[in-house]
Amino acid sequence: MSEENKVTLQTALEQGLTEEEFNKACSILGRTPNFTELGVFALMWSEHCSYKSSKYHLKKFPTEGKAVVQGPGENAGVIDIGDGLVAVFKVESHNHPSYVEPYQGAATGVGGILRDVFTMGARPAANLNSLRFGEPGHKKTPHLVKGVVAGIGGYGNCMGIPTVGGEVYFDKSYNGNILVNAFTLGVCGIDEIFKAVASGVGNKVIYAGSRTGRDGIHGAGLLASKAFQEDAEEKRPTVQVGDPFQEKKLLEACLEVMRKKLIVGIQDMGAAGLSSSSLEMAGRAGTGIIMHLDRVPTREAGMTPYELMLSESQERMLIVAEPHMVDKVREVFEKWDLNAVEVGEVTDDGLLKLYMHDELVAEMPAAPLSEEAPVYKRPYSRPSWQSSLANLDLDKIPVPRNFNETFKKMISSANLCSREWVFNQYDSTVGTDTVFEPGYDAALMRVKGHPMGIAISSDCNSRYCYLDPRTGGKLAIIESARNVACTGARPIAFTNCLNFGNPEKPEIMWQFVEAVEGISDAAAALDTPVVSGNVSFYNETGDSGIKPTPTIVMVGVIEDINKAVGMKFVAQGDIIALLGTTRPELGGSEYLELIHGITAGLPPAVDLDRERNLHNLLINLSKEQIINSAHDISDGGLAIAIAECLLTDPVRLGADVKLESELRPDIALFGESQGRVIVSVSPDELNNLRKMAVRYGVECEVIGEVDISKTLNITLNSEKIISADMTDIYKSWSKKFAEIVGE
């Protein structure tokens, strides 16, 4: 094996391997790896590809359930939704690339997650995203927001896949490291699922899709698996470049060869490109692969084996097919004007052998690289400053003198204002399956030809996770599940994207471990296992890390889509009721940070039994068609939630709310106690609501009535403290986001 670049320990360190890992690679090979082999080892054992810092703790997650068809370990998770159908879904991060080059970083994040889903045999039906940006006033924020939103919209819109919802939050911890988490869900028959395996000795390996270029080299290794330094802008060459029109053709060609049963296995060439696709397919099957790299279609001359194996060029697939099917596979891809080139075959020796013009340039065992990457039990310890965060003396926090002004400031703030500016750039209705437009508690999709619907919600409050990672992890699960239940759908399973700082720091690893424990406890209590996901570490610039952000995307199923419940008030005279109890809690609230500039206190308490009862109540209220609307109370508290129920376009309704409470007024209005939902019900169904609430052990308090005043009036203990013209509120609420991005 001839290589111009001599491999040394220093070379390995520059590629991202540690000395211990380099020695292990040498031991596996029985010799020093050559430059191409070293690059493959470094990529496959990177944090992004191997999960070496998280794998030990991820085993704590519940992964099995009666609806689970495929749990973690494949390209995407799969759940049974009934009628012989399955939902296939996953969320993944594209954080660092999106900070370096926001348009292409976000676009290729969408492209990658789409491929993960249709590689499993499912036609993508919905996209969703969870975005975190720095302070609204930070000099880079407008540029990053515009680029990311344009990239998401540009790719999804061109593909004809609706973007049906998501979340956008601003916080100074993301000033130097934004988060772009992309989710896709697809649907197919339970007998149409494909796996990423290279089985069948003698079967042919086919490269399909776009040509390979030099974009994305070191993307998963030296970009996604390391903290940023001040030279982040110089990393643009490591960001992939996407082409959604190529991906659309690739999607159709892949689904066609699957439906015609022309192939044995298929895997997306996403992070780690040819390296991961070939090694993982062989590793899962216990086979080997011979691959001739000079046959790989390229768009640049003179590409080396190292570049071909490490490139992360987009819109590419690796396919395994029986020899007599190769021509038929090629015909399908040629029909779609795509490359489909036989580049190798499956062997029985467990080795990946790479040839270039008939010269053996690399030889590595597949299983150790894909299945036996190093696993670290990194040290973790509670940081010394964590206890001080819990200190919150309410006696030192003044009660606002003018709640009307406080309410107006909150509803038009960066984290509570309308996301219409974002959603308007996404095609949310293409395909005609979208029931609820973006902006509801959960997205809701119909399944054509079937009675059921699929609800999806993305949630995480990073402030809660910063103050108490374990409780924050629980709250991410229960809020996402509650949002799904508000539609009338039963939460079934979730996927997650665990975004944290540098795992080599004990305090960051402690945050991760605590969050995982909290997520595990809540998921087990709600019987909602995880079926897929992603861990994104090293989200920091220099020594400044993000707040821990374990994004949860919950997926649920409603048996009859016609009985789904929306979040907005619908009729004059409807009774407004509060399900659940407001407790004396203010820690970690949006109000506390926005109005008083304080990030402190304990997050709201979690009662998993009560939460489960509330979800069951909501599901059955929908099934019996007792309520007309349901809206989760979360960021901003009760007053903000009621306002959100009114903010239709144009505003046509108002509400008269009367509260009785011994709590401080700001807690009663803006506290964020969990397990609460605002529902509206026609007067003749009120007794049925009360009876069912008693049956499920959920507190139910009538607090007001929907009217046509176009005004939100809130009276607390006989004193009117908020009287807001909702037409005026709508103007400030709907325009704030455009102001943030300078439009």
Side-chain angles (χ1 to χ4, degrees):
M1 303 177 192
S2 62
E3 285 284 356
E4 294 181 2
N5 298 314
K6 184 179 180 180
V7 170
T8 64
L9 174 59
Q10 182 59 36
T11 315
L13 296 175
E14 291 169 356
Q15 294 280 317
L17 290 172
T18 65
E19 181 176 357
E20 179 184 1
E21 290 166 350
F22 176 61
N23 291 334
K24 181 175 181 179
C26 293
S27 177
I28 288 171
L29 294 179
R31 55 178 170 79
T32 301
N34 63 35
F35 193 64
T36 297
E37 293 165 339
L38 180 70
V40 174
F41 267 100
L43 197 53
M44 294 301 295
W45 288 0
S46 68
E47 190 69 60
H48 186 79
C49 294
S50 72
Y51 296 85
K52 58 189 176 186
S53 297
S54 59
K55 189 176 289 187
Y56 174 79
H57 298 284
L58 296 178
K59 294 177 182 178
K60 301 171 185 176
F61 283 147
T63 59
E64 297 180 354
K66 60 182 180 181
V68 176
V69 177
Q70 175 64 58
E74 269 289 340
N75 285 302
V78 184
I79 61 169
D80 189 336
I81 61 172
D83 281 4
L85 298 176
V86 294
V88 180
F89 57 91
K90 187 181 183 183
V91 63
E92 274 205 348
S93 62
H94 228 223
N95 303 334
H96 285 185
S98 299
Y99 182 80
V100 173
E101 211 309 298
Y103 184 94
Q104 288 297 345
T108 51
V110 173
I113 199 65
L114 283 167
R115 290 193 299 278
D116 280 341
V117 167
F118 72 74
T119 298
M120 297 289 293
R123 178 174 292 277
N127 290 336
L128 180 146
N129 50 74
S130 176
L131 311 177
R132 300 291 190 279
F133 298 100
E135 295 169 292
H138 190 274
K139 62 182 180 180
K140 286 189 175 181
T141 296
H143 163 70
L144 292 169
V145 173
K146 289 178 180 178
V148 166
V149 171
I152 291 170
Y155 208 99
N157 295 353
C158 290
M159 285 288 294
I161 311 297
T163 300
V164 296
E167 51 178 353
V168 185
Y169 283 95
F170 299 90
D171 185 273
K172 64 181 179 181
S173 72
Y174 307 108
N175 281 348
N177 197 124
I178 65 174
L179 302 183
V180 176
N181 295 174
F183 167 92
T184 293
L185 177 141
V187 176
C188 67
I190 197 168
D191 59 346
E192 295 175 325
I193 302 167
F194 266 80
K195 302 291 184 69
V197 292
S199 59
V201 175
N203 283 343
K204 301 304 179 181
V205 177
I206 301 169
Y207 173 111
S210 295
R211 294 175 177 272
T212 296
R214 290 187 170 95
D215 57 317
I217 293 176
H218 290 306
L222 299 186
L223 178 59
S225 300
K226 295 293 177 185
F228 277 150
Q229 300 303 322
E230 298 306 319
D231 62 350
E233 301 295 330
E234 298 174 12
K235 296 183 181 291
R236 280 199 179 94
T238 63
V239 178
Q240 310 97 319
V241 177
D243 183 343
F245 298 107
Q246 283 288 93
E247 177 119 336
K248 171 62 174 174
K249 295 189 294 182
L250 185 65
L251 182 156
E252 299 298 343
C254 288
L255 291 181
E256 184 172 341
V257 295
M258 292 174 185
R259 297 295 175 264
K260 291 181 175 179
K261 302 187 185 303
L262 303 181
I263 64 175
V264 173
I266 182 170
Q267 171 128 339
D268 161 40
M269 287 188 233
L274 266 172
S275 294
S276 63
S277 54
S278 57
L279 286 164
E280 289 174 3
M281 291 182 79
R284 291 188 186 108
T287 58
I289 287 179
I290 289 176
M291 193 148 48
H292 298 273
L293 297 179
D294 50 287
R295 301 179 190 173
V296 172
T298 61
R299 62 170 183 262
E300 300 181 50
M303 291 190 68
T304 66
Y306 177 90
E307 292 171 328
L308 290 166
M309 292 303 292
L310 270 65
S311 169
E312 294 180 11
S313 293
Q314 297 292 284
E315 293 87 42
R316 302 179 300 159
M317 290 284 180
L318 202 64
I319 293 171
V320 174
E322 295 178 351
H324 66 282
M325 291 293 189
V326 172
D327 287 342
K328 294 181 180 179
V329 171
R330 185 183 297 114
E331 287 173 6
V332 171
F333 279 87
E334 286 178 350
K335 182 183 75 174
W336 291 100
D337 193 27
L338 292 169
N339 294 295
V341 180
E342 182 185 325
V343 295
E345 67 178 53
V346 179
T347 63
D348 62 0
D349 59 10
L351 299 174
L352 175 64
K353 295 180 180 179
L354 305 177
Y355 288 84
M356 192 75 168
H357 303 297
D358 296 325
E359 178 185 358
L360 183 64
V361 295
E363 182 176 334
M364 300 160 284
L369 276 137
S370 63
E371 306 292 317
E372 301 170 24
V375 176
Y376 296 121
K377 295 183 183 179
R378 295 200 183 277
Y380 59 92
S381 59
R382 193 173 191 265
S384 57
W385 43 262
Q386 191 72 37
S387 296
S388 65
L389 296 177
N391 297 330
L392 180 63
D393 188 349
L394 289 178
D395 292 335
K396 295 182 179 179
I397 298 173
V399 176
R401 294 181 179 180
N402 188 326
F403 277 98
N404 230 28
E405 292 304 313
T406 301
F407 167 76
K408 291 177 181 178
K409 182 176 181 179
M410 289 187 64
I411 196 70
S412 60
S413 65
N415 283 337
L416 298 178
C417 70
S418 170
R419 271 59 181 137
E420 189 176 0
W421 182 92
V422 177
F423 297 146
N424 281 348
Q425 298 185 54
Y426 304 152
D427 188 336
S428 61
T429 60
V430 61
T432 69
D433 291 329
T434 307
V435 178
F436 291 164
E437 70 268 19
Y440 278 64
D441 284 340
L444 187 65
M445 306 296 294
R446 66 174 55 85
V447 182
K448 281 191 177 74
H450 300 269
M452 83 283 282
I454 302 172
I456 315 160
S457 178
S458 171
D459 289 282
C460 178
N461 188 312
S462 59
R463 195 182 303 119
Y464 294 164
C465 295
Y466 171 66
L467 296 172
D468 183 344
R470 184 180 292 247
T471 301
K474 291 180 182 179
L475 290 169
I477 285 284
I478 65 174
E479 184 178 348
S480 192
R482 189 188 315 130
N483 282 330
V484 165
C486 279
T487 70
R490 181 171 299 282
I492 300 295
F494 70 97
T495 178
N496 58 22
C497 194
L498 308 179
N499 307 275
F500 289 80
N502 185 346
E504 298 167 44
K505 297 179 179 179
E507 66 272 21
I508 301 299
M509 201 63 207
W510 176 81
Q511 291 177 334
F512 177 80
V513 173
E514 286 289 295
V516 166
E517 294 280 3
I519 292 169
S520 300
D521 290 346
L526 299 184
D527 193 23
T528 52
V530 64
V531 296
S532 60
N534 171 230
V535 177
S536 177
F537 278 132
Y538 297 101
N539 288 291
E540 55 185 72
T541 297
D543 292 326
S544 180
I546 65 165
K547 285 186 172 73
T549 313
T551 300
I552 303 296
V553 184
M554 187 69 67
V555 175
V557 176
I558 183 170
E559 295 175 358
D560 185 350
I561 194 73
N562 296 311
K563 294 183 178 181
V565 177
M567 64 173 274
K568 296 181 180 179
F569 295 151
V570 297
Q572 175 188 6
D574 275 2
I575 305 299
I576 303 169
L578 168 64
L579 302 180
T581 300
T582 304
R583 294 179 288 273
E585 300 169 311
L586 208 53
S589 64
E590 190 71 32
Y591 160 79
L592 199 60
E593 179 161 302
L594 180 67
I595 303 302
H596 299 286
I598 297 173
T599 303
L602 293 174
V606 176
D607 187 324
L608 293 171
D609 290 334
R610 283 175 175 265
E611 194 72 43
R612 186 173 56 247
N613 291 343
L614 174 62
H615 299 177
N616 287 330
L617 170 61
L618 291 165
I619 292 164
N620 283 282
L621 288 172
S622 165
K623 187 180 294 184
E624 299 297 326
Q625 296 187 282
I626 292 173
I627 56 175
N628 294 332
S629 71
H631 180 33
D632 163 50
I633 300 174
S634 54
D635 300 343
L638 176 64
I640 299 301
I642 295 172
E644 289 169 342
C645 295
L646 290 168
L647 286 169
T648 54
D649 182 15
V651 175
R652 60 185 180 86
L653 296 172
D656 187 25
V657 176
K658 294 181 171 62
L659 303 174
E660 297 291 332
S661 176
E662 297 179 357
L663 300 173
R664 281 177 46 143
D666 49 358
I667 294 178
L669 294 172
F670 306 123
E672 296 177 2
S673 292
Q674 298 294 293
R676 298 183 300 162
V677 170
I678 290 291
V679 299
S680 65
V681 57
S682 59
D684 58 353
E685 290 285 359
L686 180 58
N687 284 337
N688 290 330
L689 169 64
R690 285 173 163 156
K691 288 177 183 178
M692 192 169 284
V694 169
R695 185 189 313 167
Y696 285 95
V698 176
E699 301 85 351
C700 177
E701 177 187 0
V702 171
I703 61 171
E705 183 176 327
V706 180
D707 57 36
I708 56 172
S709 66
K710 298 184 181 180
T711 301
L712 172 59
N713 292 304
I714 300 181
T715 301
L716 179 62
N717 299 332
S718 301
E719 179 185 356
K720 184 177 289 187
I721 57 176
I722 292 177
S723 183
D725 184 321
M726 295 308 293
T727 303
D728 290 339
I729 292 294
Y730 178 81
K731 291 177 183 177
S732 59
W733 175 78
S734 62
K735 292 179 180 178
K736 179 64 177 180
F737 206 99
E739 294 175 7
I740 291 172
V741 297
E743 292 188 0

